[in-house]
């Protein structure tokens, strides 16, 4: 019966993977062939769809890529720094303020963005940040800082205080202690935060749609949605754009696979 | 490590000051205005860029930043969203002024600016004109597949409603789907055209100011005329003349379905004529397309249509003068309009305009339009005679319910009255 | 008092250092959070007590009116029902299937490693891409109906559309759940399995008595994650059905908050909906967490 498990696994995975197979197979076919025989393999394959998406006159993909990359990178770097530091404070300071802050932050973990989007647009308007990348980044930071603090404070708790005390006796200020002694030990936490927030922010649809708006440019995810209206006569173009928009994150995933899993499950086991 | 992070962050922050895809703010004396457009299979990005360029070539002191709504069907909702987030663009193409004009956000065109238009008093809101009325679009007409009609033994389009029922029965008997409709995904509006046609033919023909009266609380959707028209829609569904599969098709897929021969009749706005003629040029569809007006009970030819479609201007624009100039020029540029006629089958309502030579479906559309009595197109109106904000979407949702067979004329009308009240009406 | 000058200098500098520490470590995070999460919640609450709307020329305080009207409004109650059904599907289906997939693929070797990757790919894709692909497949003349030779209105039938959306979101989250379960499974000591086998337990009994109890923390993580996913679902709904077909058959509360707030622009009403949604999410999460934690402790 030893062959049963691999067989069942392959069948189940195959059925599960069908939609993804469709995208991969059809992106290399011409539009009319896609509707005619969607399940057939692409023989002969064509790169037309991909080149079309890359060379659109309105540069939808490239602009989207640049915006997605800048928003995502900025957000996760700032988030890592800010939440690591805040997590450090919450862990190391036994004051009541610290405890309350932690509770208020954890409560924020569950808030759906829809609850706060309308007032957030007003806050951004007041500060003149509506429709700018900095506005979107600031919103991301505020919204995801509970997650970052949650991950970091868990890890910081495991680092003995003596290390920091030793550093401070040697004359290091709070910055030095933190960045040179504590932070390097937080690599798994940093990896988790960077990866998860990176994926979530890259794939974010609603927030860039509303906050960046048409004036601030589109991200790659919103760009796919926009192309829906124009493209559906030719599925080929549509699939080309979708594959291109998913490519960066897929590359990111396959390169860092091990860390994804570790990041997910580090928290799970610790509970 | 730290230095690298700091440097990277600094670099990105600088990059963030000007997001990709957005033009730099005003430099070297140019007045920048933002222009909201939308894309459809007919109105491609290239079309808009070329049209904008024709105007900026003539007015080099104006710099136009093109903004694109996420989808054509949601462009009105999108404009409101922009208003809600304080980003209302300077000029907006084909956006309904109702909902925006009430709080003083829109510029009202003067008589002088409207002198070139054939119907300068179209869709007034509070007596003022906000949207340049340059494009007359019968919405809908019934486009039909002549080959499928011939197969069912129908040699002439129906002239009365009774004849329409007869034609549908004969088509169904031959296993041909009578009506192609849409309504899937975010394109719920594609489910509404039969209803719009019925309201135009049966309600507006006799009460052209029905919605004005509704706003005043003098009539209700629950009144017999409206209910009867809606019930006709439900009856068509009940008899199996309307293909429910349409509810899974978004707008481009719906058009494709008709062109693929999945149904004999396609109630659709006149912009379809462009795709129909373009298809004929490209060698498909392999059948001739005819057009007729949705028939009334007594045979009077009634054509629901909407004349408007032009730009509206943000009254609070920083470059109001430039915005107005651009809007007028964009709208009246003959070359722009020629392209619009060719790509979107527009019927331009500007004095002295002559369309370029067009294909057979466009010409047939024009004939029907001229032969019929023009009435409002339900849900398309944008003036004092329009639906209250948000109610249009409910109409489309109810149309979906009717097509799915979940509700009938009386219930739908009652629901519509309830939504009207929720939206702040009487 | 001080043993040497250095210690004295350090102590004197402490208040300033402390202030620097607080300003740089604490202030940024707290400020951003307060500005972009806490303040908006308060603003939301404030708006919910008014009749604010983009078309109204004046905004008036109306007290609990919005709430009372919402609770009596059939379409709000429908959205509650829709949210409940959707969230239940999303919490249950990928959780259960995730256990199955995890158990199935819990073996060493390149094949299983590759298959595990395959299952996780949808998790990192954007919901818009996932929705577009499924929409193409589930059209009435789409691939699924053609392959199965049937004509089901997966997305066009008002009675089915919600379940289709639930299925699609479950499909996307399945990989996440199975990865979490896999990690937990790998934490089960082999010795326990062996001891149970020696005692004569078959593989199903072993699963029930040894494996399943140790999966409890993974169950908590997954359930919380899925609850949040269900409550805030928006992208899939917008692309697949935009709340239809029909009147609100797939419109959750979260979806309606955006519709009413940004499209119909009735800010007062949408804020009330948002606050109600917050209350519901908080309550359900608190209850779920309590139940799950208790289960963990017991085991």
């Amino acid at each position: 019966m030893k062959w049963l498990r691999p067989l069942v696994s392959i069948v189940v995975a195959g059925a599960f993977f069908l939609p993804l197979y469709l995208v991969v197979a059809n992106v290399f076919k011409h539009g009319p062939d896609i509707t005619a025989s969607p399940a057939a393999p692409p023989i002969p394959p064509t790169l037309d769809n991909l080149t079309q998406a890359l060379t659109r006159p309105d540069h939808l993909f490239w602009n989207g890529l640049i915006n997605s990359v800048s928003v995502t990178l900025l957000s996760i770097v700032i988030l890592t720094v800010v939440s690591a530091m805040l997590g450090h404070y919450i862990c190391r300071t036994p004051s009541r303020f610290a405890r309350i802050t932690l509770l208020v932050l954890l409560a924020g973990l569950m808030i759906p963005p829809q609850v706060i989007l309308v007032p957030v647009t007003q806050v951004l308007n007041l500060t003149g940040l509506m429709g700018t990348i900095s506005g979107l980044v600031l919103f991301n930071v505020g919204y995801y800082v509970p997650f970052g603090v949650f991950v970091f404070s868990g890890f910081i708790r495991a680092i003995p205080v003596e290390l920091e005390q030793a550093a401070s006796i040697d004359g290091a200020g709070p910055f030095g202690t933190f960045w040179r002694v504590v932070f390097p030990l937080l690599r798994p936490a940093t990896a988790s935060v960077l990866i998860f927030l990176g994926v979530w922010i890259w794939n974010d649809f609603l927030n860039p749609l509303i906050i960046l708006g048409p004036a601030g440019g589109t991200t790659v995810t919103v760009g796919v949605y926009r192309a829906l209206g124009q493209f559906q006569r030719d599925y080929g173009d549509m699939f080309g754009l979708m594959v291109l928009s998913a490519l960066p994150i897929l590359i990111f995933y396959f390169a860092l696979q091990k860390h994804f899993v570790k990041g997910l499950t580090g928290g799970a086991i610790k509970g | 490590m730290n230095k690298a992070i700091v440097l990277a962050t600094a670099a990105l922050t600088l990059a963030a000051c000007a997001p990709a895809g957005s033009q730099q703010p005003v430099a070297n004396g140019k007045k920048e205005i933002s222009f909201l457009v939308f894309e459809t299979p007919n109105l491609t990005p290239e079309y808009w860029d070329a049209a904008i360029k024709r105007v900026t070539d003539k007015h080099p002191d104006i710099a136009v930043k093109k903004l694109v709504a996420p989808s054509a069907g949601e462009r009105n909702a999108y404009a409101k969203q922009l208003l809600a987030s304080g980003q209302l663009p300077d000029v907006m193409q084909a956006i309904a002024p109702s909902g925006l004009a009430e709080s003083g956000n829109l510029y009202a065109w003067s008589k002088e600016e409207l002198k070139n238009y054939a119907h300068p008093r179209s869709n007034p809101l509070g007596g003022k004109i906000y949207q340049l009325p340059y494009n007359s679009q019968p919405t809908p007409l019934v486009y039909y597949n002549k080959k499928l009609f011939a197969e069912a033994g129908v040699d002439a389009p129906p002239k009365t409603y009774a004849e329409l029922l007869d034609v549908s029965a004969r088509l169904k008997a031959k296993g041909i789907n009578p009506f192609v409709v849409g309504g899937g995904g975010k394109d719920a509006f594609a489910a509404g055209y039969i209803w719009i046609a019925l309201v135009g033919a049966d309600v507006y023909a006799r009460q052209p100011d029905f919605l004005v009266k509704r706003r005043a609380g003098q009539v209700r959707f629950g009144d017999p005329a409206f209910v009867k028209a809606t019930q006709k829609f439900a009856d068509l569904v009940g008899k199996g003349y309307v293909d429910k599969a349409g509810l899974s098709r978004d707008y481009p897929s719906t058009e494709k379905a008709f062109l693929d021969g999945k149904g004999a009749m396609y109630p659709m706005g006149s912009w379809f004529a462009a795709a129909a003629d373009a298809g004929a040029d490209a060698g498909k569809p392999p059948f001739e397309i005819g057009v007729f007006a949705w028939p009334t009970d007594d045979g009077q030819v009634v054509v629901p249509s909407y004349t408007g479609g032009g730009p509206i201007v943000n009254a609070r624009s920083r470059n109001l003068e430039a915005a107005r100039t651009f809007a007028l020029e964009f709208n009246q540029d003959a070359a722009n309009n020629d392209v619009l006629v060719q790509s979107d089958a527009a019927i331009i309502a500007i004095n002295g305009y002559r369309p370029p030579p067009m294909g057979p479906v466009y010409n047939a559309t024009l004939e029907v339009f001229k032969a019929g009595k023009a009435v409002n197109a339900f849900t398309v109106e944008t003036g004092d005679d329009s639906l209250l904000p948000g109610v249009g979407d409910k109409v489309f949702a109810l149309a979906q319910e009717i097509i799915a067979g979940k509700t009938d004329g009386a219930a739908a009308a009652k629901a519509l009255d309830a939504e009207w009240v929720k939206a702040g009406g009487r | 008092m001080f043993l040497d000058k250095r210690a004295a200098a350090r102590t004197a500098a402490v208040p300033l250092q402390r202030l620097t520490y607080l300003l740089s470590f604490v202030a940024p995070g707290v400020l951003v959070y307060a500005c972009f999460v806490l303040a908006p919640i308060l603003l939301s609450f404030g708006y919910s007590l008014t009749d604010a709307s983009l078309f109204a020329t004046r905004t008036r305080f109306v007290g609990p009116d919005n709430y009372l009207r919402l609770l009596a409004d059939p379409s709000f109650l429908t959205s509650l029902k829709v949210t409940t059904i959707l969230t239940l599907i999303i919490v249950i289906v990928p959780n259960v299937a995730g256990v199955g997939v995890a158990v199935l693929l819990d073996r060493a070797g390149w094949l299983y490693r590759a298959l595990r990757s395959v299952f996780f790919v949808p998790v990192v894709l954007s919901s818009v891409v996932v929705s577009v692909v499924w929409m193409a497949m589930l059209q009435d003349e789409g691939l699924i109906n053609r392959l199965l030779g049937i004509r089901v209105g997966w997305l066009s039938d008002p009675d089915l559309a919600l379940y289709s959306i639930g299925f699609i979101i479950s499909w996307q989250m399945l990989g996440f759940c199975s990865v979490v379960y896999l990690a937990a499974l790998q934490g089960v000591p082999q010795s326990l399995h062996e001891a149970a086998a020696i005692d004569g337990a078959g593989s199903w009994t072993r699963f029930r008595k040894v494996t399943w109890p140790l999966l409890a923390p993974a169950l908590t993580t997954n359930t919380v994650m899925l609850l949040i996913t269900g409550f805030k679902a928006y992208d899939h709904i917008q692309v697949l059905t935009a709340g239809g077909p029909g009147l609100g058959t797939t419109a959750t509360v979260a979806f309606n908050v955006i519709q009413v707030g940004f499209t119909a622009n009735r800010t007062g009403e949408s804020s009330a909906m948002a606050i109600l949604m917050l209350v519901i999410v908080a309550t359900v999460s608190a209850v779920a967490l309590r139940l799950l934690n208790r289960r963990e402790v017991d085991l």
Side-chain angles (χ1 to χ4, degrees):
Chain A
M1 285 286 267
K2 257 207 149 166
W3 49 266
L4 186 61
R5 183 181 288 256
L7 180 66
V8 174
S9 305
I10 295 180
V11 168
V12 170
F16 180 82
F17 196 63
L18 180 64
L20 301 178
Y21 159 76
L22 281 180
V23 177
V24 171
N26 286 321
V27 79
F28 295 114
K29 287 195 233 166
H30 285 290
D33 295 334
I34 297 182
T35 29
S37 48
I43 298 171
T46 165
L47 285 178
D48 270 358
N49 297 328
L50 292 170
T51 41
Q52 274 258 43
L54 284 172
T55 54
R56 279 179 68 133
D58 61 355
H59 303 296
L60 184 65
F61 175 68
W62 295 110
N63 287 336
L65 190 65
I66 296 175
N67 288 332
S68 284
V69 168
S70 28
V71 169
T72 308
L73 272 183
L74 270 175
S75 303
I76 59 182
V77 166
I78 298 179
L79 266 164
T80 307
V81 169
V82 168
S83 33
M85 299 207 289
L86 187 53
H88 179 262
Y89 166 77
I90 288 181
C91 264
R92 298 293 189 224
T93 315
S95 77
R96 167 178 285 171
F97 178 72
R99 261 206 308 278
I100 296 183
T101 310
L102 180 63
L103 278 176
V104 173
L105 280 171
L106 288 184
L109 270 176
M110 317 268 208
I111 296 184
Q114 290 91 341
V115 174
I116 49 179
L117 257 180
V118 171
V120 162
T121 53
Q122 283 151 352
V123 171
L124 287 175
N125 257 324
L126 271 174
T127 47
L129 287 173
M130 194 63 188
T132 63
I133 292 214
S134 355
L136 182 57
V137 168
L138 274 177
F139 172 75
N140 283 332
V141 172
Y143 184 70
Y144 286 110
V145 87
F147 178 78
V149 166
F150 176 64
V151 173
F152 275 115
S153 52
F155 275 82
I156 292 179
R157 225 184 293 271
I159 297 179
V161 180
E162 289 74 30
L163 282 175
E164 293 180 55
Q165 288 170 339
S168 107
I169 287 178
D170 284 345
F175 264 124
T177 322
F178 182 74
W179 288 108
R180 254 167 279 166
V181 176
V182 181
F183 195 70
L185 295 172
L186 292 175
R187 203 157 295 165
T190 310
S192 299
V193 168
L194 284 175
I195 289 175
F196 276 98
L197 294 182
V199 171
W200 288 338
I201 293 178
W202 180 276
N203 285 334
D204 196 1
F205 171 66
L206 185 59
N207 299 320
L209 180 71
I210 293 201
I211 295 181
L212 269 189
T218 8
T219 60
V220 116
T221 307
V222 176
V224 169
Y225 182 76
R226 237 182 64 182
L228 269 183
Q230 191 210 351
F231 272 149
Q232 225 119 343
R233 257 211 220 139
D234 186 343
Y235 270 118
D237 283 331
M238 190 67 217
F239 276 38
L241 193 62
M242 285 197 326
V243 166
L244 283 177
S245 77
L247 218 46
I249 207 77
L250 279 174
I251 296 177
F252 184 63
Y253 165 61
F254 280 118
L256 298 176
Q257 252 182 78
K258 282 203 304 264
H259 294 282
F260 264 92
V261 178
K262 247 190 259 164
L264 256 185
T265 57
I269 303 301
K270 287 197 176 62
Chain B
M1 232 295 256
N2 296 338
K3 280 214 199 87
I5 292 181
V6 171
L7 279 173
T9 312
L12 283 169
T13 317
L14 287 174
C17 291
S22 68
Q23 286 156 255
Q24 289 294 348
V26 179
N28 43 320
K30 281 199 185 206
K31 295 179 226 129
E32 181 185 275
I33 54 172
S34 51
F35 181 35
L36 181 68
V37 302
F38 58 97
E39 290 162 358
T40 69
N42 286 351
L43 304 172
T44 61
E46 294 77 22
Y47 159 78
W48 292 110
D49 287 336
I52 292 175
K53 187 161 182 304
R54 275 188 215 102
V55 180
T56 52
D57 281 347
K58 286 195 260 178
H59 294 266
D61 60 325
I62 300 181
V64 176
K65 181 162 137 168
K66 180 184 79 162
L67 309 172
V68 183
S71 80
E74 301 167 296
R75 63 183 191 276
N76 287 319
Y78 194 60
K80 298 218 195 82
Q81 183 185 305
L82 292 176
L83 176 65
S85 46
Q87 304 173 85
L88 195 66
D90 296 314
V91 184
M92 294 159 271
Q93 179 74 0
I95 299 288
S98 52
L100 299 172
E102 285 85 339
S103 5
N105 290 304
L106 296 183
Y107 172 77
W109 299 101
S110 67
K111 256 213 270 212
E112 173 66 24
E113 286 162 326
L114 290 169
K115 65 180 190 297
N116 289 331
Y117 291 89
H119 305 282
R121 301 299 305 160
S122 296
N123 306 300
L125 240 185
K128 304 211 190 106
I129 308 293
Y130 294 98
Q131 188 187 65
L132 290 174
Y134 84 128
N135 186 356
S136 290
Q137 286 183 320
T139 309
L141 291 175
V142 184
Y143 291 90
Y144 67 97
N145 183 331
K146 286 195 182 166
K147 184 152 150 255
L148 289 179
F149 261 35
E151 265 180 46
V154 181
D155 47 8
K159 295 211 179 36
T160 66
Y161 189 68
E163 281 177 34
L164 180 64
L165 285 178
D166 181 54
V167 168
S168 308
R170 280 199 260 170
L171 286 164
K172 190 115 173 93
K174 286 277 181 190
I176 302 172
N177 171 42
F179 287 102
V180 173
V181 295
K186 51 185 169 39
D187 294 336
F189 69 89
Y193 288 109
I194 294 182
W195 201 359
I196 298 175
L198 282 162
V199 171
D202 292 355
V203 180
Y204 288 169
R206 237 147 284 162
Q207 296 181 72
D209 56 350
F210 179 80
L211 277 184
V212 176
K213 290 211 199 109
R214 182 69 188 87
R215 279 183 174 232
Q218 292 166 356
V219 294
R220 295 171 63 77
F221 295 112
D223 288 351
F226 193 89
V227 173
K228 189 152 163 274
T230 312
Q231 187 57 38
K232 276 191 186 174
F233 184 16
D235 287 339
L236 286 174
V237 174
K239 293 198 172 68
Y241 295 158
V242 177
D243 183 10
K244 291 190 184 14
L247 287 181
S248 73
R249 293 192 200 112
D250 62 7
Y251 170 64
S253 305
T254 311
E255 182 179 282
K256 194 161 181 308
F258 175 67
L259 291 173
D260 284 345
K262 296 233 167 66
M265 292 182 277
Y266 183 48
M268 184 45 64
S270 58
W271 55 81
F272 171 65
D277 281 329
D281 288 339
K284 48 178 187 138
F287 54 85
E288 262 187 78
I289 299 180
V291 60
F292 59 89
W294 185 277
T296 52
D297 286 325
D298 58 6
Q300 181 194 25
V301 183
V302 169
V303 178
S305 73
Y306 175 73
T307 299
I312 60 177
V313 172
N314 184 350
R316 307 210 172 102
S317 161
R318 272 175 310 158
N319 290 316
L320 185 56
E321 181 71 40
R324 276 167 36 209
T325 313
F326 175 78
L328 281 167
E329 282 279 350
F330 184 87
N331 204 233
Q332 296 180 24
D333 180 279
N336 274 352
N337 288 334
D338 282 347
V339 176
L340 189 67
V341 172
Q342 281 159 340
S343 56
D344 213 32
I347 301 176
I348 304 290
I350 292 181
N351 295 333
Y353 175 79
R354 296 263 164 277
M358 292 292 291
V361 183
Y362 178 82
N363 292 332
T365 304
L366 204 52
E367 262 182 57
V368 174
F369 176 58
K370 294 211 182 108
K373 167 175 152 173
V375 297
N376 276 342
F378 183 49
T379 72
V380 188
E381 311 103 327
T382 63
D384 292 320
D385 49 1
S386 70
L387 292 170
L388 293 174
V391 178
D393 288 332
K394 300 297 177 196
V395 171
F396 301 136
L398 282 167
Q400 287 174 328
E401 298 245 326
I402 295 179
I403 294 180
K406 298 275 178 229
T407 187
D408 65 4
K414 186 154 162 257
L416 203 51
D417 274 321
E419 290 296 337
W420 182 267
V421 169
K422 245 211 309 197
R426 290 193 229 177
Chain C
M1 198 156 51
F2 296 110
L3 297 181
D4 63 340
K5 272 206 256 187
R6 262 193 328 177
R10 225 184 302 122
T11 318
V14 156
L16 182 62
Q17 214 180 52
R18 185 73 187 159
L19 186 63
T20 328
Y21 174 74
L22 284 177
L23 274 178
S24 49
F25 274 61
V26 180
V30 170
L31 267 176
V32 182
Y33 184 65
C35 275
F36 287 98
V37 178
L38 295 178
I41 294 184
L42 287 173
L43 271 175
S44 246
F45 183 66
Y47 275 117
S48 71
L49 301 173
T50 69
D51 67 352
S53 121
L54 254 162
F55 318 112
T57 32
R58 286 164 322 151
T59 307
R60 281 169 308 153
F61 181 79
V62 293
D65 249 16
N66 286 326
Y67 290 99
L68 294 173
R69 230 177 309 165
L70 270 180
L71 291 171
D73 180 3
S75 62
F76 179 70
L77 298 173
T78 308
S79 71
L80 281 179
K81 188 179 89 162
V82 168
T83 311
T84 311
I85 297 179
L86 187 66
T87 309
L88 273 177
I89 298 178
I90 295 176
V91 168
I92 297 179
V93 173
N95 239 332
V96 170
V99 174
V101 169
V103 167
L104 184 66
L105 298 183
D106 184 22
R107 284 286 179 277
W110 64 268
L111 174 69
Y112 296 102
R113 234 197 336 259
L115 291 181
R116 290 197 291 263
S117 288
V118 161
F119 274 94
F120 199 73
V121 166
V123 179
V124 301
L125 291 177
S126 89
S127 351
V128 175
V129 169
V130 167
S131 304
V132 173
V133 176
W134 276 102
M135 192 160 98
M137 283 175 50
L138 289 180
Q139 285 206 324
D140 282 33
E141 290 122 0
L143 185 67
I144 297 288
N145 279 346
R146 270 199 259 177
L147 277 181
L148 297 175
I150 52 179
R151 250 336 258 263
V152 177
W154 304 105
L155 291 172
S156 61
D157 187 341
D159 295 325
L160 274 184
L162 184 60
Y163 296 95
S164 303
I165 296 185
F167 171 76
I168 293 170
I169 301 182
S170 301
W171 178 86
Q172 199 178 4
M173 296 303 289
L174 176 58
F176 180 89
C177 293
S178 49
V179 162
V180 174
Y181 280 126
L182 267 165
L185 278 177
Q186 277 154 12
V188 176
Q190 197 57 18
S191 47
L192 278 179
H193 278 294
E194 284 162 14
I198 289 174
D199 282 346
S203 48
W204 175 245
T205 323
R206 251 188 298 139
F207 178 78
R208 256 192 331 128
K209 292 275 161 71
V210 177
T211 319
W212 178 239
L214 290 169
L215 290 182
L219 178 67
T220 310
T221 307
N222 281 337
T223 306
V224 171
M225 189 72 197
L226 293 171
L227 263 178
I228 300 178
T229 307
F231 280 125
K232 63 177 194 168
Y234 177 82
D235 309 358
H236 299 90
I237 301 177
Q238 175 59 30
V239 175
L240 288 164
T241 59
L247 274 176
T249 49
T250 57
T252 59
V253 180
F255 184 80
N256 276 336
V257 168
I258 301 294
Q259 291 296 88
V260 176
F262 282 100
T263 306
N265 288 127
R266 300 201 288 264
T267 322
E269 185 182 325
S270 85
S271 302
M273 253 195 270
I275 298 293
L276 279 176
M277 182 179 164
L278 191 58
V279 168
I280 296 174
V281 170
T283 318
V284 172
S285 312
V287 168
L289 267 174
R290 171 138 317 162
L291 283 174
L292 289 165
N293 276 328
R294 199 166 335 134
R295 211 178 152 266
E296 278 183 59
V297 168
D298 283 351
L299 299 164

